[in-house]
Amino acid sequence: MSTEKEYDELYDRLAALREQVASGLASQLSVDPQLADAINKQLDDMQAVIDAADLAAAPPPDGGLAQLAGVGPQAATVLGETRMPRGVKEYDETVASERILAVGDLYYVYQHEKIGVFKVVHKLQQLFQQGAVRLSDGPGAFGLYKFDRREVLRYTQDDRIGAYRRVLGYGSGRGAAGSRPNTDFHKLLVHFSNQVALFWRDKRISDVIRMRAYDPSFGSIAIVRRAGLDLRNNLKFTSYGHLNVLRVELMQLLDEAYRILDAPDIKELFGAANAWDVVDEVLIRYFDERLVTSPRQRMGVTGRQVLRWLGAPHILESTRAEFEALLLEIAEPAEEWITSAQSLGLAKRSETERVLPWDRHSPVGVAAPRPRRRGPNYSRRGGLGTYRGSAMSANGKRP
């Protein structure tokens, strides 16, 4: 437990020590910027040990108020003798890795659901039961027969849709009873992927225009870390419940569906070379859908890689060299995820906007849409879509 005088003197001594070290090693710091990171990390660790010891010390019963107010035998004669707390314990940025890994697997399954893998299997099953396709006793036919035999033991499609809505914020409706849709997930994932991609784009540019190609002194790791922590903290409170069990079952279901589609008799039926060709052929022939198989599948793969990286403690690394080495793992997946999402109109590539406020769906700097010109019959009292002297609604139809 430190006093106000000791508190001030400590930080003055730390500042003087930093200045003395920087002055003594000025020539080496200009040549080796990593040395500055190492020195700062050691000094920060020393300060963290002192702060932890002070936080662990038990405060007096009155919290030091008697010293400050001048009451009792422990009354302070000067302000420097009063108790000075260092603050409260920092916000816990750690999270159970298995919950973030479960979110990554659920996101992976969701993208395959959007592609239509389960829908294609159910369509083939329907055609098989109707005798409308030339399937009899092959491995694909037997797999179609067994596919829904364990349905009573599995989570239903409504359970899957409810989980997508609660954890990822995708889909429509309110989701499961008592749950709240996680509407912030997608914009935070877009923002984090953009910041990772921007960081490495800036790094590549600096490698070209500077003499020391791999000098880790360009780009801000603080922006990337803040974007990653925002996304991870968002998932911290939406990944409770039955998510772990659900994702294990869904991964088994997805594997079973793919094995059916990759069966020789199923591929021969459509003249396909692999299971994905079967998916595309069924979607075109029976559903007349616009194919999004390739970008959606890559979004599932790369998005899961990004989320898995957040499950590790890498985002808490404060040393630049170590952070860059760890971040390199998702440099290309983040860039590919942004490209795939952009091709589907699900994300916007950010070039200069670096901040994403919590109460907006687009980064700072993006121009807001211009308001429409109001006609002479617009009524403020009636609100948007209400016109004076007319019984028309906003879509031009009579109510």
Side-chain angles (χ1 to χ4, degrees), residues 263-332:
D265 53 340
I266 299 291
K267 291 188 291 186
E268 183 180 356
L269 184 66
F270 294 97
N274 52 56
W276 292 114
D277 289 346
V278 175
V279 172
D280 292 343
E281 185 66 27
V282 173
L283 290 175
I284 293 174
R285 184 180 301 184
Y286 296 101
F287 296 98
D288 193 25
E289 287 192 2
R290 169 179 169 263
L291 297 180
V292 293
T293 310
S294 178
R296 282 281 184 186
Q297 212 275 331
R298 292 308 301 169
M299 282 180 67
V301 172
T302 56
R304 181 166 66 165
Q305 288 178 287
V306 171
L307 293 173
R308 281 176 172 175
W309 188 87
L310 286 176
H314 305 329
I315 195 70
L316 301 176
E317 179 60 55
S318 59
T319 305
R320 172 177 290 273
E322 284 82 352
F323 185 83
E324 284 190 6
L326 295 170
L327 189 65
L328 183 60
E329 180 184 350
I330 58 169
E332 297 305 325

Side-chain angles (χ1 to χ4, degrees), residues 123-334:
K123 184 62 179 180
L124 289 175
Q125 190 178 51
Q126 178 185 353
L127 295 172
F128 174 62
Q129 293 170 352
Q130 294 173 351
V133 289
R134 295 180 179 273
L135 291 174
S136 179
D137 57 353
F142 189 51
L144 290 175
Y145 163 76
K146 295 190 303 180
F147 187 70
D148 61 352
R149 292 300 171 184
R150 297 185 295 273
E151 190 174 19
V152 68
L153 303 176
R154 284 176 169 157
Y155 287 104
T156 64
Q157 183 180 15
D158 291 340
D159 294 328
R160 298 201 307 266
I161 294 174
Y164 300 148
R165 186 71 172 146
R166 177 176 68 86
V167 181
L168 307 176
Y170 295 147
S172 58
R174 296 180 57 86
S179 66
R180 183 174 62 180
N182 185 13
T183 55
D184 291 326
F185 167 76
H186 184 73
K187 63 179 181 179
L188 291 174
L189 177 60
V190 171
H191 185 55
F192 176 61
S193 300
N194 260 318
Q195 296 312 315
V196 173
L198 278 173
F199 181 88
W200 286 102
R201 232 172 293 156
D202 292 345
K203 183 86 169 76
R204 295 188 195 101
I205 293 172
S206 69
D207 292 346
V208 172
I209 65 177
R210 295 183 309 168
M211 295 178 60
R212 297 186 300 274
Y214 291 98
D215 180 8
S217 59
F218 191 84
S220 174
I221 66 173
I223 298 177
V224 180
R225 183 186 297 113
R226 184 66 263 161
L229 288 174
D230 288 343
L231 175 57
R232 202 164 79 146
N233 288 332
N234 171 263
L235 298 176
K236 183 177 181 179
F237 299 102
T238 60
S239 54
Y240 288 111
H242 68 306
L243 177 60
N244 264 310
V245 180
L246 176 69
R247 62 102 176 215
V248 173
E249 183 176 294
L250 291 183
M251 290 296 292
Q252 292 178 357
L253 183 66
L254 180 63
D255 177 71
E256 184 178 348
Y258 187 84
R259 290 178 183 276
I260 292 174
L261 296 172
D262 201 39
D265 53 340
I266 299 291
K267 291 188 291 186
E268 183 180 356
L269 184 66
F270 294 97
N274 52 56
W276 292 114
D277 289 346
V278 175
V279 172
D280 292 343
E281 185 66 27
V282 173
L283 290 175
I284 293 174
R285 184 180 301 184
Y286 296 101
F287 296 98
D288 193 25
E289 287 192 2
R290 169 179 169 263
L291 297 180
V292 293
T293 310
S294 178
R296 282 281 184 186
Q297 212 275 331
R298 292 308 301 169
M299 282 180 67
V301 172
T302 56
R304 181 166 66 165
Q305 288 178 287
V306 171
L307 293 173
R308 281 176 172 175
W309 188 87
L310 286 176
H314 305 329
I315 195 70
L316 301 176
E317 179 60 55
S318 59
T319 305
R320 172 177 290 273
E322 284 82 352
F323 185 83
E324 284 190 6
L326 295 170
L327 189 65
L328 183 60
E329 180 184 350
I330 58 169
E332 297 305 325

Side-chain angles (χ1 to χ4, degrees), residues 89-129:
K89 188 176 180 180
E90 293 185 3
Y91 182 80
D92 187 9
E93 302 284 7
T94 60
V95 66
S97 61
E98 62 269 14
R99 284 163 42 201
I100 303 299
L101 295 176
V103 174
D105 289 335
L106 184 69
Y107 181 82
Y108 179 80
V109 174
Y110 169 78
Q111 294 299 341
H112 287 80
E113 178 117 33
K114 289 294 291 182
I115 291 172
V117 173
F118 299 137
K119 181 168 64 175
V120 166
V121 173
H122 283 298
K123 184 62 179 180
L124 289 175
Q125 190 178 51
Q126 178 185 353
L127 295 172
F128 174 62
Q129 293 170 352

